[in-house]
């Protein structure tokens, strides 16, 4: 049992540092070859920050652990919009804007509701994966067409990189990129195996473990990044980044996983997905109230997130 706990904690660090190294090194490499900030944000940074969720979800799917595979994505999204978003609003109210209210949040709500419908009919198959990836491609295409506005929207996600001074790219950046991918690959493997073993030991379902501990573990990079941004007074883009991360988790991570390996949907998935639809709708409502997420609204989101954890472990 102790060895499983050790490997679970180790997997969190591997996923955390692996994703951070991928984003940092790949962004520097892209800058060196004069890749646009928008392209970096939509591809390298988006993949890097969602790499823990993808590796855990895909690994679980190929091991036949569909409950962990789906619950990791659902739990991560609830954790992002509940605990992380609520905590950031408690620290300092988060400003919103019309794009979030009219485009990004409604798109996330529609996508989440569609996945709930697909899960209800047990249709998370390759056709669902193609549909989700098509939605993601359409969204990225829209942002690319409206590149100036999209570039401003992505400015809070893309890490600050020093301007190219003409020096040769360091081999350390390539090594960090390689080590980062190895780290998340091992982290995903360790997390799935150790989490399922812990669930069996305590008699807890794989779904509950995936919705809670695994989801929180794969969301740690987002939590640390948001805390750092908040402490530096850069709260303007936190809400948009969290909504974008949730959308990428569903359309990108879940879509690609379903394309590679269709998922079986257990009855345990439907309450969690229903809760997530309600939470996205609540966040959309909060966005429109005074065009900010206030501290009391943040407290509501944190309370819902903690309450859901308590309910999952007691049920």
């Amino acid at each position: 049992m102790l060895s499983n706990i050790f490997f679970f904690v180790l997997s969190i660090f591997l996923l955390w540092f692996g994703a951070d190294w991928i984003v940092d090194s790949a962004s520097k490499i892209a800058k060196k070859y004069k890749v646009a900030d928008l392209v970096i944000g939509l591809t390298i940074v988006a993949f890097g920050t969602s790499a823990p969720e993808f590796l855990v979800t895909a690994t679980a799917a190929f091991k036949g652990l569909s409950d962990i595979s789906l619950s990791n994505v659902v739990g991560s999204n609830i954790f992002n919009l509940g605990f992380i978003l609520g905590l950031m609003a408690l620290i300092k109210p988060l400003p919103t804007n019309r794009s979030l209210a009219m485009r990004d949040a409604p798109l996330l709500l529609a996508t989440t509701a569609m996945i709930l419908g697909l899960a209800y009919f047990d249709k998370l198959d390759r056709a669902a994966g193609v549909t989700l990836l098509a939605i993601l491609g359409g969204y990225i295409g829209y942002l690319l067409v409206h590149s100036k506005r999209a570039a401003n929207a992505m400015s809070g996600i893309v890490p600050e990189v020093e301007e190219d001074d003409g020096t040769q790219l360091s081999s350390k950046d390539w090594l960090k990129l390689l080590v980062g991918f190895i780290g998340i690959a091992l982290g995903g493997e360790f997390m799935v195996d150790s989490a399922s073993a812990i669930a069996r030991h305590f008699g807890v379902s794989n779904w509950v473990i995936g919705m809670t501990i695994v989801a929180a573990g794969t969301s740690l990079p987002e939590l640390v990044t948001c805390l750092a941004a908040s402490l530096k007074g850069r709260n303007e883009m936190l809400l948009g980044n969290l909504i974008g991360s949730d959308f990428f988790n569903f359309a990108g991570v879940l879509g690609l996983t379903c394309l590679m390996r269709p998922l079986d949907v257990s009855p345990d998935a439907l309450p969690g997905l229903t809760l997530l639809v309600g939470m996205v709708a609540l966040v959309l409502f909060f966005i429109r109230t005074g065009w900010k997420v206030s501290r009391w609204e943040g407290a509501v989101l944190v309370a819902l997130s903690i309450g859901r954890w308590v309910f999952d472990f007691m049920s």
Side-chain angles (χ1 to χ4, degrees), residues 77-192:
N77 281 8
I78 294 177
F79 192 81
N80 286 345
L81 291 184
F83 187 81
I84 298 180
L85 174 57
L87 181 62
M88 296 306 103
L90 279 172
I91 295 174
K92 183 179 180 181
L94 300 176
T96 66
N97 57 58
R98 189 167 297 277
S99 293
L100 282 173
M102 303 302 293
R103 182 192 66 198
D104 303 314
L107 178 61
L108 176 61
L109 178 60
T111 304
T112 307
M114 184 188 76
I115 291 173
L116 173 60
L118 291 171
Y120 182 81
F121 293 103
D122 197 11
K123 293 293 185 181
L124 290 179
D125 51 15
R126 288 189 171 88
V130 171
T131 302
L132 289 171
L133 290 174
I135 293 172
L136 177 62
Y139 179 66
I140 291 177
Y142 175 86
L143 292 181
L144 289 172
V145 171
H146 299 76
S147 57
K148 184 175 182 180
R149 183 181 299 175
N152 291 332
M154 298 303 294
S155 62
I157 304 176
V158 179
E160 295 181 3
V161 181
E162 295 180 2
E163 293 295 327
D164 184 12
D165 58 2
T167 58
Q168 190 173 7
L169 188 66
S170 172
S171 59
K172 291 183 179 179
D173 294 315
W174 294 100
L175 181 60
K176 282 183 67 175
L177 183 65
L178 176 61
V179 173
F181 278 113
I182 294 174
I184 61 172
L186 290 174
E189 179 81 12
F190 291 160
M191 180 167 283
V192 170

Side-chain angles (χ1 to χ4, degrees), residues 241-256:
N241 292 350
L242 287 172
I243 289 177
S245 176
D246 276 20
F247 175 72
F248 195 88
N249 282 347
F250 264 153
V253 173
L254 189 60
L256 191 56

Side-chain angles (χ1 to χ4, degrees), residues 255-297:
L256 191 56
T257 301
C258 288
L259 185 63
M260 295 188 304
R261 182 71 177 262
L263 300 178
D264 295 321
V265 181
S266 74
D268 293 335
L270 299 179
L273 277 167
T274 303
L275 173 63
L276 182 54
V277 171
M279 184 165 285
V280 175
L282 183 62
V283 170
L284 178 57
F285 174 74
F286 286 164
I287 288 174
R288 294 297 302 271
T289 56
W291 296 103
K292 67 178 180 181
V293 180
S294 64
R295 285 190 171 91
W296 79 265
E297 291 168 337

